[in-house]
Amino acid sequence: MSYSIGDVVKKTGLSAYTLRYYEKEGLLPFVKKNSSGVRAYSDEDLRWLTMIECLKDSGLQIKEIRQYIEWFNEGDSTLAQRLSLFENRRKILEKEMARLTVAMNKIRYKELLYREAVRVGNLDIATNERRFMQLKKKLFESPDDFDK
């Protein structure tokens, strides 16, 4: 099946500007043009767009995504480089997820604390409750927290 840029905009939620930018940056070297010179996207192109968005969401820069696409187009001789790219990206994401988990736990603590303070009408009373003192110590005073 063949899709116009307008069809792709509707299907993906990406703007026409973004699609043109990706093409200009070399991220869509596989998109063909019809006899009139108009881009004709295929189902495979849509799958590539999904992958490009995933890679962007993971934090890869445009130049890194372009490199991955070049490696893919080079074939099996670049399998090791592609594997390394994904292993490194996974490790970075795992560290970021751990950091965000620590932040989320602190936000949840504050949410619970303020909910209790609203309930009792006083922040000091809520803060001095044993359960909040224990949580605060665990979340904000743990030496492990400094490593994250």
Side-chain angles (χ1 to χ4, degrees):
M1 181 133 199
S2 180
Y3 305 100
S4 69
I5 197 167
D7 295 333
V8 175
V9 165
K10 289 176 190 169
K11 283 186 163 297
T12 65
L14 298 171
S15 69
Y17 172 82
T18 298
L19 294 169
R20 289 185 190 103
Y21 173 72
Y22 285 176
E23 185 170 339
K24 182 182 102 169
E25 290 297 319
L27 302 185
L28 301 172
F30 29 77
V31 174
K32 307 284 186 252
K33 293 188 178 181
N34 66 21
S35 58
S36 303
V38 176
R39 293 173 192 88
Y41 293 85
S42 68
D43 289 323
E44 183 64 19
D45 296 332
L46 295 180
R47 286 188 283 279
W48 268 106
L49 283 168
T50 300
M51 188 64 198
I52 290 167
E53 287 301 297
C54 172
L55 295 173
K56 271 186 53 196
D57 289 345
S58 80
L60 282 182
Q61 302 296 314
I62 294 293
K63 68 181 180 177
E64 294 169 305
I65 298 170
R66 184 183 323 107
Q67 179 65 73
Y68 166 70
I69 292 168
E70 288 171 8
W71 284 336
F72 181 87
N73 287 332
E74 288 176 31
D76 288 350
S77 65
T78 63
L79 289 172
Q81 291 98 319
R82 289 183 269 164
L83 173 60
S84 179
L85 173 84
F86 285 109
E87 287 173 338
N88 291 336
R89 181 54 35 193
R90 177 188 46 79
K91 289 173 187 174
I92 290 167
L93 287 174
E94 286 172 347
K95 286 180 183 177
E96 181 66 7
M97 289 171 67
R99 187 187 68 75
L100 288 172
T101 297
V102 169
M104 178 64 83
N105 288 337
K106 289 178 180 181
I107 295 296
R108 285 180 176 154
Y109 162 81
K110 289 294 192 178
E111 181 182 3
L112 291 170
L113 175 65
Y114 283 103
R115 185 174 287 127
E116 181 65 10
V118 166
R119 188 184 73 73
V120 298
N122 185 287
L123 180 60
D124 288 335
I125 292 171
T127 301
N128 290 317
E129 285 186 23
R130 186 169 186 245
R131 67 184 170 131
F132 288 110
M133 289 173 60
Q134 289 173 334
L135 274 172
K136 181 179 179 183
K137 183 173 182 163
K138 181 179 177 184
L139 291 171
F140 294 93
E141 298 171 18
S142 170
D144 292 340
D145 194 34
F146 297 109
D147 295 335
K148 294 183 171 68

